[in-house]
Amino acid sequence: MDVTPQQPPQSPDSTEPPLEPPGTGPAPPDPASPGPAPSELPPLSLRTTLRRAAMGAVAGAVLVTGAVVAVPEDEKKSAPPPAPGPVSRALKARDMGSPASLSDLTALIGDRQQWVGTHPSDAPSWALLGTAYVEWGQRSADAAYYSRAEQALKRSLDVQPGEKGNTAAWVGLATLANARHDFVTAKKWGETVRARQPKQWNVYPALIDAYNGLGDYESANTAVEKFTALHSGAPALIRTAQRYRDLGRREDAQADAQAAADRATTPAQKAECLYLLGELAWERGEPDKAVAQYSAALRTDRAHPSLAGRARALVALGRTDEAERDYKAALANLPRPEYMLALGELYESLGRDEDARSQYAQLGTALARDDGEGVDNAALRGRFETDHGDPAAAVKLLKAEWDRSHRSAAVADALGWALHRSGDSSSALQYATRAVDTDGQNASYMSHLGAIQQALKDYGPARRNLAEALLINPHFSPLEGPAAQKALDSLGGPPADVPQGMQPARAPDPAPEPRPVAPAPQRQAPAKAPASHVLSSPLTGQPVLRPGPASVRPPDGPHIAGRPAISVDGEVAGERVGVRRR
């Protein structure tokens, strides 16, 4: 949403705000006391958290006081200084470009709420509060905080427009737009700040996220280079690692992620690095190492959202009961829609169709709730509709995303797969090829491209891409992984030029059942029921039949393999079908 800065109704307050109230730390907001209006206060859940944080601070102060009294007089001079309070720690983390712990972030929000209640003309504090709301909304999966963030940031600009130096509010608006997946608006705010303050390092993370969401990877790379030139340490290394990962350069990403973990200075920062290492291990097809990294992240920061990642890796290891436990725990703490989809697909892979339908219904409710808060979940909704609902509706959604310039590799892959599942494999090919050209180490992208090529009777590239997908990560999806293996088997297995010992890993065959001494009469096996489920689409609300992969037929038409492929932007890409960049 565009926010037009206005002239301030009064001059900014010149009084320097205290970082923490003296004494016991941030007190819980009270609607009965002077402060922000009730509409600006967090819901009861956060107020309760703040109250507990304040009580903990009081208890900590008592313990510290007792400890000081117990120290002998001759040892007081050598005693270390007291640890900084939670608000100070949160501000220090912000200045370093690192995430604060949830307890420190909670204390910061309570502190700034109290301050702006009595100092309403403090533009920087309004901007800080709005940005903290965005972070809380992202880390709690509560999009309602985005509306609160927008109000606080607009209030900051009302007091002091961005043109008069309040670029912090503009950066906050860019961060908010990224959280809502509105990458065009995020780019606009970020580039506005960069034009005025090119050395303001904290605008570059917002620009990087915006460019990645738009699929403008060249600009994203330039922004990463600028960010690392202005900022150093673990935050810069994490950004370069993520950039390498987006480009399929997993080895470079691994090196920088490990270096970031070695240089991390706070538990929250360390957990972020360990989580990234877990993601990289998972994408390499090493679920055991991924479980170890996710578990290490959780031991470092118990509030870190690594449970869902560990659950996905546990599925690959066949430990589905533990995976279900972790998914449920993750959703209890962080009800993200993508976790709901993952758990639903796990249930579906286990034949627990009723549980899957229930989970998909919860997903629909969560998506509708996010819609009301201005969050664009079209990519995730399109993925769901493609495989579990109405592929034609998914095509409509994802084409609209593409027309909005949201042209990331993820959107290209999702749109290509939706077109294929809706029966238009010819149109799907260019999008799937573009996704693989961007990240040729993504097993899901490779599998989708192989399936599309198989439907178009381009069997050689199809075999190669399906085999490589399963070589990269044979367990990339509990539903699509087995489907890719089945498709590869139907094509005769991996190509002959795949080196021995490098073929895709396969699950061990079950032990043979005892056979009767006399041969049983040959009977034709009953036809297997099609993989379909009647589900209620969260998009239309109407019952839809989810077809299995075998129900999709390639469209009639000329064989297009070997012809110059036309890129999505209309340029001739050359004969690159099935070819990928490493």
Side-chain angles (χ1 to χ4, degrees), residues 4 40 81 114 121 123 127 172 237 262 296 374 387-388 391 455 462 486 497 546 569-570 572:
T4 303
E40 297 176 351
Q114 283 193 310
S121 59
L237 288 166
D262 295 339
D387 289 326
H388 310 284
K486 184 177 180 180
D497 58 351
R546 185 186 76 78
D569 297 325
V572 177

Side-chain angles (χ1 to χ4, degrees), residues 431-454:
Y431 295 99
T433 302
R434 176 163 173 156
V436 170
D437 281 346
T438 300
D439 182 359
Q441 291 294 314
N442 187 301
S444 180
Y445 296 174
M446 299 287 291
S447 172
H448 288 166
L449 177 58
I452 292 167
Q453 290 166 331
Q454 182 182 22

Side-chain angles (χ1 to χ4, degrees), residues 84-98:
V87 177
S88 297
R89 289 195 300 267
L91 289 172
K92 183 178 180 181
R94 180 202 62 168
D95 293 340
M96 295 172 56
S98 302

Side-chain angles (χ1 to χ4, degrees), residues 8-340:
Q10 54 184 314
S11 60
D13 196 312
S14 60
T15 305
E16 180 68 20
L19 296 182
E20 300 174 46
T24 61
D30 185 355
S33 64
S39 62
E40 297 176 351
L41 291 172
L44 181 60
S45 60
L46 180 54
R47 294 205 299 272
T48 302
T49 303
L50 293 170
R51 186 175 295 109
R52 290 173 178 171
M55 293 174 64
V58 173
V62 172
L63 290 174
V64 170
T65 302
V68 171
V69 171
V71 174
E73 187 67 26
D74 58 351
E75 295 183 10
K76 285 185 179 180
K77 294 181 181 180
S78 61
V87 177
S88 297
R89 289 195 300 267
L91 289 172
K92 183 178 180 181
R94 180 202 62 168
D95 293 340
M96 295 172 56
S98 302
S101 70
L102 284 179
S103 59
D104 291 351
L105 181 61
T106 300
L108 175 63
I109 290 175
D111 177 78
R112 291 301 88 185
Q113 281 180 324
Q114 283 193 310
W115 178 258
V116 298
T118 55
H119 300 78
S121 59
D122 186 347
S125 285
W126 279 112
L128 177 58
L129 178 60
T131 304
Y133 277 148
V134 175
E135 185 176 354
W136 183 271
Q138 290 175 306
R139 295 174 65 178
S140 66
D142 187 351
Y145 278 91
Y146 298 154
S147 297
R148 299 171 186 271
E150 185 175 4
Q151 292 172 8
L153 293 167
K154 288 172 65 176
R155 181 65 177 273
S156 178
L157 290 170
D158 286 342
V159 174
Q160 181 185 1
E163 296 87 348
K164 294 188 176 182
N166 190 8
T167 55
W170 281 349
V171 174
L173 288 172
T175 305
L176 172 62
N178 279 324
R180 286 172 161 169
H181 306 151
D182 183 1
F183 304 115
V184 174
T185 300
K187 174 186 173 183
K188 184 197 73 172
W189 287 118
E191 290 184 343
T192 300
V193 175
R194 184 182 62 186
R196 291 176 174 271
Q197 299 288 340
K199 293 186 177 181
Q200 185 171 332
W201 64 264
N202 64 354
V203 72
Y204 288 97
L207 276 172
I208 294 166
D209 291 341
Y211 290 138
N212 282 331
L214 296 171
D216 185 357
Y217 297 114
E218 183 176 351
S219 295
N221 189 57
T222 301
V224 170
E225 292 175 352
K226 185 65 174 178
F227 176 66
T228 56
L230 295 171
H231 203 58
S232 60
L237 288 166
I238 289 173
R239 281 291 174 177
T240 55
Q242 291 170 337
R243 181 73 192 124
Y244 288 138
R245 177 191 178 196
D246 291 339
L247 295 175
R249 295 170 58 179
R250 298 297 196 273
E251 294 82 3
D252 293 329
Q254 173 76 20
D256 278 356
Q258 186 61 61
D262 295 339
R263 298 179 63 177
T265 57
T266 66
Q269 189 179 74
K270 182 84 167 182
E272 184 180 13
C273 301
L274 293 169
Y275 173 79
L276 180 54
L277 288 168
E279 291 286 281
L280 292 168
W282 161 254
E283 291 165 0
R284 290 194 307 269
E286 300 175 349
D288 51 344
K289 293 182 179 179
V291 167
Q293 296 289 4
Y294 293 132
S295 298
L298 290 167
R299 288 193 299 270
T300 304
D301 182 1
R302 298 173 65 181
H304 193 272
S306 288
L307 276 171
R310 188 170 71 179
R312 180 182 54 187
L314 288 169
V315 172
L317 294 171
R319 296 157 60 180
T320 54
D321 289 344
E322 296 172 75
E324 181 183 4
R325 175 206 64 195
D326 275 3
Y327 271 133
K328 288 182 175 179
L331 285 167
N333 296 324
L334 197 63
R336 288 179 174 170
E338 56 266 33
Y339 299 169
M340 299 175 188

